[in-house]
Amino acid sequence: MSNTLSYSSITKKIWMSLFGLFLMTFLVVHLSINLLLLFDPSRELFNIAAHFMGTNPLIQIFQWVLFAGFGFHIILGVILQIQNWMARPKGYKVKGTSEDSVFSKYMIYTGMIIFVFLIIHLGNFFVLKMQGDVPEFHQPGAGEMEDMGLLVVNLFRNTGYVIFYVIMLLLMGFHLDHAFQSAFQSLGLTHNKYTPFIKGLGHFYSIVITAGYIIIPLIIYFR
Amino acid sequence: MAKLDSKVPEGPIAEKWTNYKAHQNLVNPANKRKVDIIVVGTGLAGGAAAASLGELGFNVKVFCIQDSPRRAHSIAAQGGINAAKNYPNDGDSVYRLFYDTVKGGDYRAREANVYRLAEVSNNIIDQCVAQGVPFAREYGGLLDNRSFGGALVSRTFYARGQTGQQLLLGAYSALSKEIKKGSVELFTRREMLDIVKIDGKARGIIVRNLVTGELERHGAHAVLLGTGGYGNVFFLSTNAMTSNGGAAWRAYKRGAFFANPSFVQIHPTCIPVHGDYQSKLTLMSESLRNDGRIWVPKKKEDAQKIQKGELRPTQIAEEDRDYYLERRYPAFGNLVPRDVASRAAKERCDAGHGVGNTGLAVYLDFKDAIERLGRNVIEARYGNLFQMYEKIVDENPYETPMMIYPAIHYTMGGTWVDYELQSTIPGLFVGGEANFSDHGANRLGASALMQGLSDGYFVLPYTMQNYLADQITVPHFSTDGPEFEQTEKEVQERIDKLFAVNGDETVDSFHKRLGHIMWDNVGMARNKEGLEKAITEIQQLRKEFWQRVKVPGEKTGMNVELEKALRVADFLEQGELMALDALTRNESSGGHFREEYQTKEGEALRDDKNFTHVAAWEYMGDDKPAKLHKEPLVYENIEVKQRNYKTA
Amino acid sequence: MDLKLKIWRQQGPDAQGKFVEYLVQNISSDASFLEMMDILNEELVAKGEEPVAFDHDCREGICGMCSLYINGRPHGPDTAITTCQLHMRKFKDGETVVIEPWRAKPFPVIKDLMVDRSAFDEIIQAGGYVSVNTGGVPDANAIPIKKENADLAMDAAACIGCGACVAACKNASAMLFVSAKVSQFALLPQGRVEANNRVENMVAKMDVLGFGNCTNTYACEAVCPKEISITNIARMNREFFVAKIS
């Protein structure tokens, strides 16, 4: 920790972006698995994928890399934020009104909310799975596995949860929208010609990811 | 008292500086550490000198009035810096730059100094490029040049409209390097209030810490002033608010002669005055005259209608416009030197052809240039200036011609210095605008930056060393000595006296009144009667100041009004000397225009027989008139003739 | 026009400050903001009160001395401008104008609206220069420089060191200031020689002084009087990364 604290501001930002970009690729993988619930209402594909993710030794190892990624991203974010608050001990009477990116101002808040969501999310699925509280899924030929899909579907039939989920995902979308181009900026990957494309891609990414995640509970809820 | 010895080295002019350097005394590297130097001011001259002296190994203490050395007013110079590189292959040479500068100064500058200036001008460009100054470049990757007033060649190097800023930041970076190294110690927010002399030599200064209000003593083997000019005597000028001639004035009162105080430059392209609340005037770079054409309406009726707002300049037909500079000076046109352009503008406005709601403005029109080159090119060249103009005046200069009027800009006069830039006080050196030496009666555009950096980088590090060579056995000075004690006491008394007045008129009010007297009588056109009136009025105003000025607040801690009061007290004395010098100089030369002395066409009429000299004034006491000493100017390499900008 | 001013008054660095209200009347819309402050101060002095302390010098937008945070924005309600160039026509008659000093830990208040920005000097001293001494340098045209790079270097070098970027940044980060200097030299062959050391030392100094971290909100670019681009920050990040891994 003390070592992390003494890293220079830019080093921290570079790590922050690398972890962030890594987490963004995870979101794509996660979404593609979730979407299986829509394409295959029998939940078979989803459960196979979930089973694979839950049992494949490589993925099992990688899972800890992912946790570490989340962990560092969050810890760095908090350290950066505390330093930022310390840099202005006395604030302004009139709050800033400059023409900057709106989402960028609230990264720590959207980040913290996403963190809370992550805990609940892990509680909903991961912990249950660890405790073996997941119903069995019987599928001829595929052997026995846990019916993770049923857990999801049940949750997505709960009105309150769907509303909560949609709000959380929107906030994550805001976080991502700034995060994508910001990561490239922090890594110094800017260029007159390509930066507008990266920014566009960032908006595209955050909209597709957010819409993709949100559409699943909505379809299941109204199905 | 001291006789004026300019100490110009023997030999042909082109070899003087080389000979000087070859034979001067040097200080060995180990001994440099034993020698302390004080540098006051961090502009081009002070900053560059402090950095260079630090590099050599001297112990340098550098003082600036602002919160950072980077803010010295050299930063505001826009147009460029001259050098005799002859990169454009248009016939430039060291001699030609020397010649143009002497001629531009109306033959009132010291030949040897100007030649040296032209000689080292090329080194300055090399030095600045090596420091990372981003001069404008051509597509081939080489440096670009542009033309400037008073020259027939393109020899001006520039960095957009921010050349002064970039050169100053170059010097500031060199200074920062030395501060980091420990050879230079930086003192910010300090104002020099007096010079301390020990056995006749300058050995220290008294400064006021502008934050705590404390007086501090600093001792050294030599003192260098790079404190700029005294243009703010006029209240309204293009100088910064804290620019003041105080340091040089204090040196004067301690025995340093003050040379040519009446030589003041009035810059032709400033944004006109718009109200009496105005605090300063904004300069629009002279480079604008490269592409802009200056005109006023030919018919007085048109001018009157414009003044009343009934007519727009764009409605004046081409044949009704008087491009008076092109008309009067066909060879140089809009690129005549500043004094000529300023007087021509005043002449037209006085004749009733002026524009703007005050009638004290002329047009600077870019219509033709935009048609010829396209708006993009003009924007690339002057975009930031146009933007600045629009912010201030609220008019778009791409569509409506700019309005300009002359304003006080630069002071050619200053502390008298010899070839070594040493004043009549041994050990007191003066560089940049604060000295008098290189510009004569009028400074050409893009020459101030050249002179500041020449003094700072390439002259003072040599000449100060020559002086310091026999000082190595003098131990570091303690500031507890009686001379420091006494000088500080006198400064404290001056401050106490200001508070004791406890009157009812603000400092600024006195300053504005002084400004009016100066502008009306010691401004662009002067005459005997007006100058005599000015002297009486200034004396009267000074008396009133010491009876009625109000300085609120405390002696300790920050007190901006006290700072201003100390400066205005000095301006009230300096203004008088300026008027006296102008009254004594019975001729017109450069920026000094006496109405009694002009040609039939209204051009300046010099009196070379009686006035080819530097007028150096010696302080004789507060109630005694200053004593005039003359340093004759000898021109061996240039034929002195009437300046002519009508034909090449 | 008449205006109600709410101005931060603070006697000294350690004193408690507070907002004080003043009324100014009959201000010309052609006056600059600082001229309006001059008028206020003249009135205060005439009344025997202490004038408001604020930094200013050249009053033509280049020295970087002026530094007021006006109605929630450094240098007030205009773009590409310093306070001294801001004119009263940007305000409405009867408007309330809140004037605060720059707020950042490394910029302590000296008095009223005046802050100490010597932290910027310290950052430059950490490496914002090319280590050449006077004399003995090559001819100015010895190394051709691509015009594009020279122009970009000039864009970056235009920084006036006013600190508006720090004042506007919600994190009080100095990245725009530091990156402008790093970029200027990184783009020129003269500066490349010690580019790695420079960026590491300047960033380290910036961190030690207590400036915040950049979170890419780009508020700095929006308020910069010289419109210094945030691509300089990206360039500095890149330079820093390369310096660290090489």
Side-chain angles (χ1 to χ4, degrees):
Chain A
M1 267 306 286
S2 64
N3 206 10
T4 318
L5 273 173
S6 65
Y7 276 154
S8 99
S9 55
I10 298 183
T11 308
K12 281 188 286 234
K13 289 294 299 179
I14 289 173
W15 280 117
M16 192 74 189
S17 344
L18 290 173
F19 287 128
L21 287 173
F22 168 63
L23 296 177
M24 284 186 222
T25 59
F26 161 73
L27 284 178
V28 175
V29 174
H30 192 321
L31 175 64
S32 52
I33 293 174
N34 283 13
L35 283 172
L36 293 177
L37 276 176
L38 292 189
F39 295 118
D40 174 21
S42 74
R43 305 194 299 279
E44 183 189 350
L45 285 177
F46 180 84
N47 282 337
I48 291 171
H51 184 71
F52 173 77
M53 299 300 278
T55 52
N56 182 291
L58 258 181
I59 301 280
Q60 289 304 295
I61 296 166
F62 199 72
Q63 167 177 296
W64 294 103
V65 177
L66 182 65
F67 284 147
F70 268 112
F72 280 120
H73 189 76
I74 291 162
I75 291 168
L76 276 174
V78 170
I79 293 171
L80 285 165
Q81 186 58 51
I82 290 172
Q83 288 179 330
N84 292 346
W85 280 325
M86 279 165 43
R88 178 166 292 139
K90 171 138 186 68
Y92 292 109
K93 183 183 174 76
V94 183
K95 289 280 170 286
T97 52
S98 48
E99 316 79 351
D100 46 15
S101 137
V102 182
F103 302 144
S104 67
K105 289 190 189 168
Y106 306 106
M107 291 302 273
I108 186 67
Y109 305 110
T110 47
M112 284 193 299
I113 293 167
I114 294 166
F115 176 64
V116 171
F117 173 66
L118 184 70
I119 302 282
I120 296 172
H121 193 68
L122 285 175
N124 283 342
F125 300 102
F126 194 72
V127 175
L128 283 183
K129 181 179 175 314
M130 286 290 134
Q131 291 169 344
D133 289 349
V134 187
E136 294 288 299
F137 182 75
H138 298 282
Q139 183 66 25
E144 287 202 359
M145 54 184 138
E146 293 152 324
D147 194 352
M148 291 300 286
L150 186 62
L151 271 185
V152 178
V153 171
N154 284 340
L155 265 176
F156 284 171
R157 287 189 176 131
N158 176 330
T159 315
Y161 187 82
V162 171
I163 293 171
F164 169 74
Y165 187 89
V166 168
I167 292 173
M168 286 298 126
L169 266 294
L170 277 174
L171 288 173
M172 189 180 77
F174 298 156
H175 196 85
L176 289 175
D177 184 71
H178 172 69
F180 194 92
Q181 53 85 21
S182 179
F184 284 85
Q185 167 82 5
S186 290
L187 292 169
L189 301 174
T190 57
H191 189 278
N192 273 349
K193 278 185 195 159
Y194 309 121
T195 295
F197 170 74
I198 288 171
K199 286 192 175 171
L201 187 66
H203 295 310
F204 177 77
Y205 170 86
S206 50
I207 290 168
V208 166
I209 290 284
T210 312
Y213 276 105
I214 285 178
I215 205 165
I216 297 165
L218 291 181
I219 287 179
I220 289 173
Y221 185 77
F222 292 109
R223 186 181 268 163
Chain B
M1 281 305 286
K3 186 182 159 291
L4 291 178
D5 176 6
S6 61
K7 290 197 222 154
V8 173
E10 294 299 315
I13 194 148
E15 290 164 25
K16 283 183 195 292
W17 182 230
T18 314
N19 284 342
Y20 176 89
K21 289 190 289 184
H23 297 107
Q24 72 163 115
N25 298 314
L26 295 174
V27 181
N28 104 28
N31 282 333
K32 285 185 182 127
R33 263 174 274 131
K34 297 181 189 160
V35 178
D36 305 328
I37 298 174
I38 282 173
V39 178
V40 187
T42 56
L44 292 181
S52 304
L53 290 163
E55 287 163 5
L56 290 174
F58 292 105
N59 287 320
V60 181
K61 280 180 170 186
V62 67
F63 296 80
C64 68
I65 197 166
Q66 296 92 347
D67 67 338
S68 162
R70 67 180 294 152
R71 309 210 197 277
H73 198 54
S74 306
I75 203 157
Q78 298 167 350
I81 177 166
N82 286 334
K85 283 281 194 186
N86 193 28
Y87 284 153
N89 194 31
D90 55 1
D92 202 5
S93 64
V94 168
Y95 182 84
R96 190 176 283 275
L97 174 55
F98 156 68
Y99 174 85
D100 285 348
T101 308
V102 171
K103 176 188 173 195
D106 220 355
Y107 307 95
R108 291 294 175 263
R110 193 188 288 145
E111 242 189 16
N113 285 51
V114 180
Y115 195 89
R116 176 178 63 190
L117 174 69
E119 211 178 326
V120 302
S121 66
N122 292 343
N123 303 52
I124 297 173
I125 303 303
D126 298 342
Q127 186 65 33
C128 294
V129 167
Q131 285 172 345
V133 170
F135 283 119
R137 285 176 186 270
E138 292 167 339
Y139 281 101
L142 302 180
L143 293 161
D144 191 19
N145 286 117
R146 62 182 171 199
S147 56
F148 240 67
L152 293 169
V153 293
S154 291
R155 61 159 74 100
T156 304
F157 294 80
Y158 65 100
R160 301 243 168 95
Q162 290 129 280
T163 317
Q165 179 199 28
Q166 292 312 314
L167 298 177
L168 181 68
L169 293 182
Y172 163 70
S173 69
L175 188 61
S176 298
K177 163 175 68 75
E178 293 307 305
I179 293 169
K180 172 77 181 303
K181 212 171 83 188
S183 58
V184 175
E185 196 183 350
L186 172 67
F187 297 85
T188 61
R189 294 194 194 261
R190 304 292 204 290
E191 182 162 13
M192 194 202 100
L193 293 183
D194 220 332
I195 302 253
V196 180
K197 276 163 64 176
I198 299 177
D199 298 332
K201 293 192 170 80
R203 293 301 197 190
I205 57 172
I206 304 291
V207 296
R208 183 166 178 274
N209 181 323
L210 300 182
V211 175
T212 64
E214 282 160 20
L215 295 180
E216 299 171 0
R217 305 170 185 182
H218 297 274
H221 293 85
V223 176
L224 165 63
L225 302 185
T227 46
Y230 46 91
N232 269 341
V233 170
F234 290 81
F235 185 71
L236 281 183
S237 79
T238 63
N239 285 4
M241 304 305 282
T242 53
S243 297
N244 68 83
W249 193 249
R250 288 294 129 194
Y252 166 72
K253 295 187 86 167
R254 292 281 170 204
F257 291 7
F258 205 100
N260 299 336
S262 66
F263 287 169
V264 173
Q265 178 160 82
I266 312 225
H267 196 292
T269 53
C270 299
I271 299 178
V273 178
H274 52 75
D276 57 2
Y277 49 80
Q278 204 166 347
S279 59
K280 80 152 271 162
L281 297 172
T282 303
L283 174 77
M284 303 303 292
S285 167
E286 177 174 1
S287 62
L288 291 169
R289 287 200 276 146
N290 272 317
D291 288 306
R293 296 179 71 196
I294 295 174
W295 63 275
V296 291
K298 247 182 209 160
K299 298 182 201 148
K300 260 194 215 173
E301 310 87 79
D302 286 349
Q304 278 158 7
K305 278 187 192 156
I306 286 177
Q307 288 166 22
K308 285 185 208 139
E310 292 164 9
L311 207 58
R312 305 274 308 148
T314 41
Q315 293 168 300
I316 307 280
E318 197 57 36
E319 61 271 20
D320 290 331
R321 299 175 175 198
D322 177 13
Y323 296 92
Y324 56 87
L325 286 178
E326 297 168 26
R327 171 171 58 78
R328 282 177 69 176
Y329 308 100
F332 281 69
N334 292 299
L335 289 176
V336 290
R338 292 172 175 178
D339 55 335
V340 178
S342 292
R343 266 198 305 280
K346 179 179 157 56
E347 189 274 329
R348 281 294 84 195
C349 292
D350 287 351
H353 294 269
V355 296
N357 53 6
T358 55
L360 291 175
V362 299
Y363 288 126
L364 177 61
D365 202 335
F366 288 86
K367 185 171 67 92
D368 291 350
I370 291 172
E371 275 167 20
R372 191 177 71 244
L373 303 163
R375 188 180 155 138
N376 290 346
V377 175
I378 296 300
E379 197 168 341
R381 283 186 193 165
Y382 313 109
N384 61 328
L385 297 170
F386 277 40
Q387 187 193 28
M388 180 163 87
Y389 181 86
E390 191 168 355
K391 297 254 187 226
I392 293 172
V393 183
D394 205 20
E395 265 183 12
N396 179 353
Y398 292 100
E399 285 153 18
T400 320
M402 267 183 195
M403 281 189 294
I404 52 166
Y405 198 67
I408 299 291
H409 176 58
Y410 186 90
T411 53
M412 283 75 67
T415 308
W416 185 89
V417 289
D418 58 22
Y419 188 74
E420 297 187 299
L421 305 186
Q422 186 168 207
S423 70
T424 49
I425 300 177
L428 179 69
F429 292 78
V430 185
E433 188 180 353
N435 75 26
F436 87 102
S437 67
D438 295 358
H439 305 299
N442 173 57
R443 178 176 66 74
L444 288 181
S447 281
L449 301 182
M450 174 171 67
Q451 186 223 340
L453 289 180
S454 146
D455 289 358
Y457 286 130
F458 297 109
V459 179
L460 287 160
Y462 286 93
T463 62
M464 289 187 81
Q465 203 171 163
N466 187 45
Y467 169 78
L468 291 165
D470 65 357
Q471 304 284 312
I472 48 174
T473 51
V474 180
H476 294 290
F477 284 93
S478 151
T479 52
D480 297 330
E483 292 88 352
F484 279 94
E485 190 82 37
Q486 176 60 23
T487 314
E488 187 188 311
K489 197 169 140 254
E490 287 171 30
V491 172
Q492 189 59 54
E493 281 166 3
R494 197 146 41 100
I495 292 171
D496 293 346
K497 199 174 150 199
L498 277 169
F499 276 106
V501 177
N502 195 21
D504 57 1
E505 191 169 334
T506 62
V507 176
D508 273 359
S509 166
F510 279 106
H511 196 176
K512 281 183 191 177
R513 287 168 64 189
L514 173 66
H516 280 299
I517 299 174
M518 295 301 292
W519 181 248
D520 292 344
N521 303 298
V522 200
M524 254 186 292
R526 305 152 171 186
N527 58 53
K528 183 166 181 287
E529 196 191 343
L531 290 166
E532 281 167 351
K533 192 174 98 187
I535 292 175
T536 325
E537 282 181 3
I538 294 169
Q539 285 169 348
Q540 181 55 38
L541 187 66
R542 193 163 63 225
K543 220 166 112 193
E544 215 183 309
F545 175 84
W546 286 104
Q547 287 163 353
R548 288 191 43 213
V549 73
K550 181 173 189 67
V551 182
E554 308 288 327
K555 282 174 205 169
T556 54
M558 174 170 289
N559 189 334
V560 179
E561 287 298 307
L562 172 63
E563 293 167 26
K564 288 198 287 190
L566 284 162
R567 290 170 207 151
V568 173
D570 285 346
F571 286 150
L572 281 164
E573 296 174 2
Q574 191 155 17
E576 186 183 337
L577 187 68
M578 291 163 73
L580 178 64
D581 184 50
L583 184 64
T584 315
R585 191 170 275 278
N586 288 315
E587 64 159 352
S588 294
S589 52
H592 169 65
F593 188 77
R594 283 281 298 270
E595 285 167 343
E596 304 96 312
Y597 309 101
Q598 51 181 311
T599 64
K600 276 194 242 65
E601 297 94 28
E603 305 298 335
L605 187 63
R606 284 198 324 263
D607 177 355
D608 291 332
K609 192 162 159 279
N610 295 306
F611 291 96
T612 308
H613 65 244
V614 177
W617 297 88
E618 181 184 5
Y619 175 72
M620 304 303 290
D622 275 338
D623 2 313
K624 293 193 198 109
K627 187 174 163 198
L628 175 64
H629 300 259
K630 293 176 186 172
E631 180 205 336
L633 291 169
V634 184
Y635 291 94
E636 292 168 337
N637 300 278
I638 286 182
E639 183 200 347
V640 178
K641 49 186 179 187
Q642 193 68 34
R643 278 196 308 175
N644 175 8
Y645 292 100
K646 292 176 189 297
T647 54
Chain C
M1 58 171 70
D2 300 345
L3 294 166
K4 186 156 109 184
L5 307 174
K6 279 188 184 168
I7 299 179
W8 180 259
R9 301 298 309 258
Q10 182 175 337
Q11 207 30 250
D14 306 317
Q16 276 284 338
K18 62 172 191 297
F19 282 95
V20 179
E21 280 192 20
Y22 300 97
L23 288 173
V24 284
Q25 285 166 327
N26 292 324
I27 302 291
S28 160
S29 62
D30 284 334
S32 75
F33 195 85
L34 294 185
E35 282 161 0
M36 185 274 294
M37 294 293 288
D38 291 341
I39 293 170
L40 170 71
N41 277 345
E42 279 286 280
E43 287 172 14
L44 291 178
V45 173
K47 277 193 279 182
E49 289 176 42
E50 241 194 290
V52 181
F54 59 92
D55 268 325
H56 63 103
D57 197 25
C58 79
R59 298 212 176 184
E60 47 189 282
I62 193 75
C63 77
M65 192 98 175
C66 58
S67 55
L68 305 180
Y69 190 85
I70 303 161
N71 282 351
R73 196 184 157 99
H75 297 305
D78 199 351
T79 52
I81 203 161
T82 55
T83 302
C84 62
Q85 300 285 76
L86 178 69
H87 279 66
M88 296 312 293
R89 61 182 82 94
K90 291 280 168 188
F91 296 86
K92 288 190 284 290
D93 188 26
E95 192 172 338
T96 300
V97 183
V98 184
I99 311 171
E100 304 176 64
W102 281 181
R103 297 284 190 199
K105 182 163 158 269
F107 287 173
V109 171
I110 294 172
K111 186 178 182 179
D112 297 340
L113 302 169
M114 206 178 252
V115 298
D116 180 359
R117 283 168 287 186
S118 47
F120 271 9
D121 285 333
E122 287 182 51
I123 293 174
I124 297 295
Q125 284 156 21
Y129 42 77
V130 177
S131 299
V132 292
N133 286 353
T134 304
V137 296
D139 183 86
N141 259 349
I143 311 171
I145 299 174
K146 247 171 89 176
K147 181 170 165 53
E148 289 82 357
N149 284 353
D151 286 349
L152 283 174
M154 180 61 222
D155 288 342
C159 169
I160 57 175
C162 64
C165 45
V166 175
C169 176
K170 74 178 181 65
N171 311 326
S173 164
M175 288 282 276
L176 192 64
F177 169 78
V178 181
S179 68
K181 195 44 77 181
V182 166
S183 279
Q184 177 198 341
F185 289 134
L187 284 158
L188 299 171
Q190 290 83 3
R192 280 253 52 106
V193 179
E194 44 189 340
N196 287 2
N197 278 337
R198 177 179 304 115
V199 67
E200 290 193 53
N201 292 338
M202 288 180 76
V203 169
K205 188 52 144 184
M206 169 184 87
D207 290 344
V208 167
L209 288 166
F211 289 100
N213 303 288
C214 177
T215 53
N216 304 330
T217 68
Y218 312 143
C220 50
E221 183 186 47
V223 301
C224 176
K226 298 296 154 190
E227 300 180 296
I228 308 283
S229 163
I230 49 110
T231 54
N232 290 306
I233 297 183
R235 186 179 292 107
M236 176 162 83
N237 290 337
R238 197 157 68 226
E239 290 283 324
F240 185 85
F241 184 73
V242 171
K244 279 290 177 197
I245 59 169
S246 58

